Amino acid sequence: MTQLPLRAQLASALGRSAATLSRMTGRGDGSVIGGRVGLMLEPDLLRQLARDRRLALISATNGKTTTTRLITSALLEMGQVATNAYGANMPAGHVSALSQHKDAPYGVLEVDEKYLPEVLDTTGAGVVCLMNLSRDQMDRAAEIWLLAQKWRRALSGKPTHVIANCDDPLVTWGASTAAKVTWVSGGQRWKEDSWCCPECGGPLDRKEERSSWGESERAMPTSHEAVATIDTARHWACRECTFHRPEPQWILDDDAVIDPRGRRWVLDIQLPGSANRSNAAMALAVAEAFGLPVERALPRLREVTSVAGRYTTVERDGRHARLLLAKNPAGWLEAFDVADPALPIILSVNAQGPDGRDTSWLWDVDYRILRGRPVFVTGERRLDLALRLDVADVPFALAETFAEALGAQPPGRVDVIANYTAFQQIRSEFGRAV
Ligand SMILES: [Zn+2]
């Protein structure tokens, strides 16, 4: 790798010192402050740190931290990888990640959806992975349409290889100006933000999915004919213009991925739920874009057990609580998919800055799936959630604190779904994961 210019070396070193100082004084992992200091001293630092590396940028409303982790794990098979493992997904976090691994030939960066155009322009990343776009807290469909439009402009005319989920119409539209796209059929659980064609506003027609996202019985596909059946089952198309779902090269089929050569790979990953199988399918396609074949990437994906505390279990007095993070309506559906219907469930909702102060998004989620299991509601905005559950005819019990909710459980396992700050509070209070 070529040497960084002196000013960039200095900015990078001072940034790392600031990060270390911040960690030592207990102000978090320091990646944001370190990157800010570096960028203050050398505004061009991100571009310089990105030069001469092979980079992948990962963006989506949901699953970007996990997918970043999965891709990192895979690429470690080939060499050192710089990554923003703690979800600091804006330029300061990227500077910090790249500056901590100066000699890593590879970089896998989670990027906030809004920052993708800027970070792509600055870094000139060779690979971009786009998974899903849906309303996030108070954002509404019009805003995510604007985001997708910015992606289109950013990707247009660049040599970047895009790996995108063609089951999400808005992602498809956002990615389709790129010169080279590998389409992955990763499924789409949350459809409420994609009933309209992003190109013309006309209605989108869909075929009902039958495999991993539905409950219907089906035979295992063993041939190309069966692959084609899955493919048509997920088809969507605009009724009024020519915009339609492109043909995927990679297909997530229940617990397996079918690669571009028609080979079927059972994923067998440790992260739970269909959303994570979709993340894994995207990760395999990205790995292949880096020249890493499935047979080498997949065993690495299976090593990932938890991501930034998600899916870990905390224990107190014989109660083992598995923590699921859900930050927006689509995230809640994914968490419901992972939660064990046989277990009681604790829901914890806050409305602090990082959560979004407005809790009206709670009304977008269909909670009826929780009927029939013991439900406990806690968090600072538990009454907002309680009202929503009451309207949905889901019986529940209120608890002042998470500790009280946990104490009300019989010894054994319980699932917890919490939004961002509620999740962090539980992690810091209950500390060590078991
Ligand atoms: Zn249309």
Side-chain angles (χ1 to χ4, degrees), residues 109 130 392:
L109 300 177
L130 305 172

Side-chain angles (χ1 to χ4, degrees), residues 196-204 237-244:
C196 292
C197 171
E199 180 72 30
C200 77
L204 284 183
C238 176
R239 205 180 295 168
E240 290 174 7
C241 76
T242 57
F243 187 59
H244 63 277

